[in-house]
Amino acid sequence: MATAANKNGYEVLIELQASVFNDEISSPPFYLNRPKILKLYAYQGFEANSSDVRLPYFIEPRSYPIDLNKGFEKFIYRRHWEFSKMLETTLKYILDSEENVLQPYMSENPEEHRSLKTEDDESYQRQNSKRKLVLSNRGCLSNIMIIPYRLVASKYNDKTIFATHYCGVLHISDYSYNNNTTRGNAYHNKFQQTCFSDDPDLDPNTDVPVNEDEFFRGVFQTTLKEFDLIYSGELSGIVSNHKIDDMQNMENINELQFISTKLLWNSKHSNFWKNPKCLNWWTTLYLANTSDLCVGLKDRDGIIRTPLQRKPVKDLPKNQIWKPQICIRFLLTMLELIEKNMSSVNCPYTVYEFVYDSFAKCIKLKKHIGKTEYSFLNEEYIDRCRKQTSMSC
């Protein structure tokens, strides 16, 4: 492992080569457990509401063409989220939860972690004696998972992950703000409006302005080896012939069929299911417990002229050059790398910046010690950490 810092203050941690990932194909596979939804939030701007969530219902369009330009002049773009709010929803879940989510991860006694294990569970005994909690967002985890297939030198392929280790909990996130207010960028949301209704028995209302500032997020939980992951991500809607009255019963919510919509440029010369974006789609949708994907093909004028194509998310990896096990294995590699480098850190403000540099083909690190412009944990959450972990941090 290289530790020499370059002139920009970065330390090279690992170098990435395609051969490394190819070798892993023959390694024993392991899986990211199917994510479960812990809570739903409806957002209006920066305000989140969990008590009155009404997920929209998927209604496949009955007629074509579909004009995605309709109402563009009244389109409402999403407001700018500050860097410090990039883990907003996940931290809100911790603050809203009546359960002490964080405390178990502070105990040095492995017996406290056997509530979900049996005494003769040999596989558990072979693992680390202590589970590790990671709080994150779906976009961050997805961006990590696709790195093995983004080795071509390109600014688009570069990824930056920010991490804080505090009170035994690893907080990781990325930050991106799309300031694109072009017509093309609005097409995706207009397409979504044409496919979702507030009532399963009514057609979508496409006469009202599209409001990008109104959206839904779920908080999810899954496990990967010794890591317990809690993270947030946006949801589009559900497939159901009847109205769902109770959005608070998570056991029932997790039985629903979630669906997402995506847009591509119409091309008669390629199989769009082979589009490179399919990898991004699979990682984001799998992490969000989404069952189906519906794709629309738009022409250069923003018109969808052909019927939508629908496919189960589980079928997206079939006949692709990319393999889910490679993505999942690299996610584990990155989590282990971040945790190892931050194991001795216990500060709510210190941020380690992990960068995938596609030009240098490496993962590099820069440290931002103490309270800086990179600090992203809010004071209310920091205070909850202290109380829930019963630790003087």
Side-chain angles (χ1 to χ4, degrees):
M1 179 179 294
T3 58
N6 65 22
K7 62 182 180 180
N8 294 320
Y10 287 97
E11 303 172 7
V12 176
L13 299 180
I14 57 173
E15 296 181 352
L16 305 180
Q17 297 178 349
S19 59
V20 175
F21 303 116
N22 292 335
D23 290 342
E24 290 179 347
I25 295 177
S26 60
S27 302
F30 55 87
Y31 300 95
L32 188 71
N33 287 345
R34 187 69 178 176
K36 295 293 184 183
I37 301 174
L38 299 175
K39 200 175 187 69
L40 296 172
Y41 287 101
Y43 272 86
Q44 290 189 326
F46 304 127
E47 299 298 321
N49 174 16
S50 62
S51 60
D52 191 29
V53 176
R54 293 289 181 267
L55 288 173
Y57 300 84
F58 178 75
I59 307 290
E60 188 160 347
R62 297 179 173 86
S63 61
Y64 297 87
I66 299 172
D67 185 359
L68 301 176
N69 299 284
K70 180 182 176 182
F72 172 72
E73 64 281 356
K74 296 181 180 180
F75 189 93
I76 302 171
Y77 288 94
R78 187 171 301 184
R79 282 174 279 181
H80 179 204
W81 283 64
E82 300 294 336
F83 180 91
S84 61
K85 289 184 174 293
M86 61 183 174
L87 211 55
E88 166 79 11
T89 308
T90 308
L91 299 187
K92 179 174 177 54
Y93 167 74
I94 301 297
L95 291 169
D96 289 349
S97 180
E98 296 179 0
E99 179 187 359
N100 190 334
V101 179
L102 305 178
Q103 195 279 333
Y105 297 90
M106 284 310 305
S107 173
E108 297 299 327
N109 181 5
E111 294 301 319
E112 292 190 17
H113 301 285
R114 292 189 179 273
S115 58
L116 299 179
K117 307 290 179 179
T118 62
E119 289 300 319
D120 58 353
D121 188 341
E122 294 181 2
S123 64
Y124 176 72
Q125 293 171 7
R126 287 196 298 269
Q127 292 181 6
N128 290 357
S129 61
K130 184 180 176 186
R131 306 285 305 165
K132 300 176 178 67
L133 176 63
V134 177
L135 302 183
S136 187
N137 60 55
R138 179 187 59 176
C140 175
L141 300 178
S142 172
N143 280 333
I144 292 173
M145 293 172 71
I146 67 176
I147 286 176
Y149 297 100
R150 297 293 184 266
L151 298 181
V152 175
S154 164
K155 283 293 183 184
Y156 175 79
N157 287 339
D158 289 353
K159 303 297 178 186
T160 301
I161 308 299
F162 302 95
T164 290
H165 191 257
Y166 181 56
C167 288
V169 179
L170 192 61
H171 311 78
I172 66 171
S173 188
D174 56 2
Y175 177 74
S176 62
Y177 173 60
N178 187 354
N179 197 28
N180 186 349
T181 57
T182 64
R183 185 182 297 266
N185 187 56
Y187 284 160
H188 293 270
N189 295 82
K190 185 63 181 181
F191 177 48
Q192 185 167 312
Q193 186 193 57
T194 66
C195 294
F196 289 95
S197 171
D198 292 335
D199 190 300
D201 297 320
L202 298 176
D203 288 336
N205 183 1
T206 60
D207 294 328
V208 297
V210 175
N211 188 350
E212 195 181 30
D213 231 7
E214 294 182 350
F215 52 95
F216 301 92
R217 279 185 182 158
V219 177
F220 306 88
Q221 182 179 46
T222 187
T223 60
L224 178 60
K225 291 288 189 173
E226 70 270 25
F227 291 96
D228 294 331
L229 308 177
I230 297 178
Y231 54 93
S232 62
E234 290 190 31
L235 292 164
S236 297
I238 58 176
V239 179
S240 177
N241 293 324
H242 64 278
K243 204 159 190 175
I244 309 300
D245 295 321
D246 184 5
M247 291 287 180
Q248 305 300 316
N249 186 327
M250 291 301 111
E251 184 175 346
N252 291 341
I253 292 298
N254 278 288
E255 295 298 322
L256 295 176
Q257 182 182 357
F258 285 83
I259 190 169
S260 182
T261 54
K262 301 291 182 182
L263 268 181
L264 285 176
W265 294 112
N266 193 8
S267 173
K268 298 179 181 179
H269 305 292
S270 63
N271 175 4
F272 70 85
W273 292 115
K274 292 284 189 179
N275 191 291
K277 288 186 177 181
C278 276
L279 173 57
N280 302 63
W281 294 346
W282 176 79
T283 56
T284 56
L285 297 178
Y286 183 85
L287 288 169
N289 196 29
T290 299
S291 303
D292 291 88
L293 172 63
C294 189
V295 178
L297 300 177
K298 65 181 184 294
D299 63 23
R300 294 295 170 180
D301 295 325
I303 309 293
I304 297 176
R305 304 183 187 278
T306 57
L308 310 184
Q309 301 294 313
R310 184 168 165 181
K311 179 174 283 196
V313 172
K314 65 180 177 61
D315 289 343
L316 288 179
K318 293 181 179 178
N319 302 315
Q320 303 282 4
I321 61 171
W322 48 268
K323 305 298 179 185
Q325 67 265 30
I326 300 296
C327 301
I328 294 170
R329 188 175 295 277
F330 188 73
L331 175 59
L332 177 64
T333 297
M334 273 301 294
L335 292 177
E336 290 174 338
L337 183 70
I338 296 171
E339 198 274 335
K340 179 179 179 180
N341 278 273
M342 301 200 74
S343 60
S344 62
V345 178
N346 184 37
C347 177
Y349 306 114
T350 292
V351 172
Y352 279 23
E353 180 185 348
F354 294 86
V355 176
Y356 165 54
D357 186 334
S358 64
F359 293 87
K361 288 187 169 46
C362 69
I363 303 293
K364 57 188 184 181
L365 165 66
K366 180 185 282 189
K367 302 175 182 178
H368 305 281
I369 308 300
K371 198 165 190 177
T372 68
E373 61 183 316
Y374 294 94
S375 303
F376 60 87
L377 299 185
N378 63 60
E379 294 299 327
E380 185 181 5
Y381 171 78
I382 293 170
D383 184 58
R384 176 65 62 90
C385 273
R386 293 192 181 102
K387 292 178 180 178
Q388 287 203 354
T389 58
S390 301
M391 180 178 182
S392 178
C393 298

